[in-house]
Amino acid sequence: MYDLIIRQGKLINGDIIDIIVNHGRIIDIGPAVATGLNANKEINLYGHYHISAGWIDAHTHCYPQSPLYFDDPDLIGVASGVTTVVDAGSTGADDIDHFYTTARKAKTHVYAFLNIARTGIRNQNELADLTQIDDNSLQDAVKRHAGFVIGLKARMSKSVVGENGLQPLLKAKMMQQKNGLPLMVHIGNPPPNLEEIADQLVKGDIITHCFNGKPNRILDNEGDLKPAIQRAIERGIILDVGHGTESFSFRIAEQAIRSAAYPHMISSDIYQRNRMGGPVYSLAIVMNKFLSMGVSPERVLSCVTINAANFLRLPRKGRLERGFDGDITIFELKNQHIELVDAEGEVRVGTQQFIPIAAIVSGTDIVVADPIVTNRSTHNDISV
């Protein structure tokens, strides 16, 4: 008896397949492979609903005890069709132990980018005091939570670094060399200037808020990619959306896409305030914004599955293949109008949307998406 069988799920390319999951892993996948077999839990999608590897949100804030940016991992995770969330620097070395304990209670897979400030984001200017950047504490925290801490986070904007300019990033790069983890860098208002930041980054580092409309945006005044960003992309820098409350502009994203500067990862930068009051609401809504700009559903889906898994170094996630984790998102790709708003109040009307139906974690936990959380007005049932 297997743990889970999904029958007649539809891939994004239209193929109809079965999936068999046992002991948390996909053990078989393909057309009609589950014919004549039984499982403890079975879902029949009748070729109507789509399935993909579980969606991964590479930039969230889900440490519930954070004083500024916080949320419940399962509300932004499985209740929104997302099987894996990554907290982007809410915690530092001082509170990563508590976050780890809290995260283990969630159904959603939770990982963390560790803030280079030992306090995490307890206030807006955590890098204005260089004494908060303690190498020994950071390295000890990385070792204690290997596998949970999957990267480092440095917020490099004027409101965060104060008068310290580029110094926190230089310290972050030195600390990174000792553990080899990717570094996610938040860009916002200067100083330091984006060109200075980009020139310090190497292959595998991540620029988040890549389509913000602030002075430190990736485009010049003519709408072309800044040379420093073009060089960074050629070196292997990752562009991450990190929508957030103030960090996504339709205008900038549209111009970048016209220059073939597509995002490598689509993430939400979600927390309670922008989940409930917008403009984020859910990862699905952010994905829909890219559909509205003419990005193909296949490319959008890759940005929250295989790309995210590769760039975050999550080796058994992001693919529907034998041996990979039994993390699966069930969704509709519906031809339906939707009004979408960016962080600057600009509106676009999309004609197609991803609508999450359910999240399956490790082939055991099956959570039907909450229509309120995912900003949906209707609900469709699946039989389990």
Side-chain angles (χ1 to χ4, degrees), residues 115-166:
N115 199 307
I116 63 169
R118 61 183 302 157
T119 57
I121 310 177
R122 291 182 193 168
N123 47 49
Q124 289 285 12
N125 62 340
E126 74 267 17
L127 298 179
D129 180 0
L130 292 177
T131 65
Q132 297 299 321
I133 306 174
D134 183 78
D135 182 51
N136 290 332
S137 296
L138 181 138
Q139 303 299 346
D140 287 346
V142 168
K143 290 175 183 176
R144 285 198 309 276
H145 296 293
F148 176 62
V149 173
I150 60 172
L152 307 180
K153 175 73 179 294
R155 299 202 304 151
M156 294 301 299
S157 56
K158 171 65 175 176
S159 61
V160 180
V161 304
E163 301 303 316
N164 289 327
L166 203 62

Side-chain angles (χ1 to χ4, degrees), residues 271-287:
Y271 52 93
Q272 187 182 73
R273 190 172 80 236
N274 66 31
R275 170 174 59 81
M276 298 180 68
V280 176
Y281 298 110
S282 69
L283 179 61
I285 294 297
V286 179
M287 294 161 65

Side-chain angles (χ1 to χ4, degrees), residues 173 176 183-185 194 197-208 210 218 228-240 262-265 311:
K173 295 303 294 182
Q176 180 192 24
L183 174 67
M184 177 181 281
V185 179
L194 178 59
I197 295 169
D199 285 345
Q200 297 297 322
L201 305 183
V202 300
K203 182 178 181 180
D205 287 340
I206 301 164
I207 291 177
T208 193
C210 67
I218 65 173
I229 295 298
Q230 184 63 56
R231 292 193 301 269
I233 292 172
E234 291 169 357
R235 290 198 306 274
I237 301 306
I238 310 309
L239 296 182
D240 172 56
Y262 289 90
H264 299 98
M265 298 191 295
F311 297 134

Side-chain angles (χ1 to χ4, degrees), residues 11-71:
L11 297 177
I12 196 67
N13 66 5
D15 290 349
I16 306 299
I17 61 160
D18 297 344
I19 300 176
I20 304 172
V21 181
N22 215 36
H23 304 301
R25 302 279 180 85
I26 296 171
I27 64 167
D28 206 357
I29 179 171
V33 296
T35 301
L37 302 179
N38 296 298
N40 292 320
K41 296 179 181 178
E42 298 192 15
I43 301 173
N44 197 328
L45 301 178
Y46 300 102
H48 175 68
Y49 295 111
H50 284 83
I51 54 174
S52 71
W55 294 353
I56 301 168
D57 195 339
H59 184 155
T60 74
H61 291 282
C62 61
Y63 177 45
Q65 282 71 40
S66 175
L68 292 180
Y69 306 121
F70 56 86
D71 214 328

